[in-house]
Amino acid sequence: MAHELEEWGSKGSSIIPSRDERAHTKQIAKLVRETRYVGLKVDANAALTGRIMERAVDIDGYRKQLANGDPVLDAVLARIEIGFVDKAERIQRNFGSEFPL
């Protein structure tokens, strides 16, 4: 993909590039770096989301195991589990934010 961006941005070159060609090449390189960075952030966010979901499944199973069919204990543990989910959602929402809440 980065190679495609570089191809789209190429103007053709002469032996001695002009000032405009050098500026254009510099802008293209910056765009490629920014695109890679955004892609990395997307991948990191997906990994974090997957991890949160895996842990939520683990915690849900553990809650059921601990409650062992006791509805009162299940209700108490469910409140704790919901606290985890709420906290994980806040972490996910603020992940990579320049202005965390």
Side-chain angles (χ1 to χ4, degrees), residues 6-15 17-18 21-22 24-25:
E6 291 166 347
E7 285 180 20
W8 293 341
S10 67
K11 289 175 101 174
S13 71
S14 60
I15 295 173
S18 69
E21 287 175 325
R22 287 191 309 269
H24 179 76
T25 300

Side-chain angles (χ1 to χ4, degrees), residues 48 52 84-96:
L48 176 63
I52 289 169
F84 165 77
V85 171
D86 289 342
K87 173 80 174 185
E89 285 178 341
R90 283 193 305 276
I91 290 168
Q92 182 189 28
R93 193 175 317 117
N94 293 326
F95 181 73

Side-chain angles (χ1 to χ4, degrees), residues 52-65:
I52 289 169
M53 291 189 305
E54 289 169 358
R55 294 303 296 147
V57 168
D58 293 343
I59 290 171
D60 189 58
Y62 189 52
R63 173 188 54 81
K64 291 173 183 174
Q65 177 188 353

Side-chain angles (χ1 to χ4, degrees), residues 7-100:
E7 285 180 20
W8 293 341
S10 67
K11 289 175 101 174
S13 71
S14 60
I15 295 173
I16 301 173
S18 69
R19 174 180 271 169
D20 287 342
E21 287 175 325
R22 287 191 309 269
H24 179 76
T25 300
K26 189 175 180 179
Q27 289 173 337
I28 295 302
K30 181 181 178 194
L31 178 60
V32 169
R33 282 191 312 274
E34 289 172 354
T35 302
R36 287 179 179 153
Y37 179 68
V38 169
L40 181 60
K41 285 174 58 174
V42 168
D43 291 345
N45 210 326
L48 176 63
T49 299
R51 181 66 177 158
I52 289 169
M53 291 189 305
E54 289 169 358
R55 294 303 296 147
V57 168
D58 293 343
I59 290 171
D60 189 58
Y62 189 52
R63 173 188 54 81
K64 291 173 183 174
Q65 177 188 353
L66 288 175
N68 197 27
D70 181 334
V72 174
L73 184 54
D74 187 60
V76 170
L77 296 175
R79 290 184 62 194
I80 296 169
E81 182 179 347
I82 289 168
F84 165 77
V85 171
D86 289 342
K87 173 80 174 185
E89 285 178 341
R90 283 193 305 276
I91 290 168
Q92 182 189 28
R93 193 175 317 117
N94 293 326
F95 181 73
S97 171
E98 295 178 25
F99 305 101

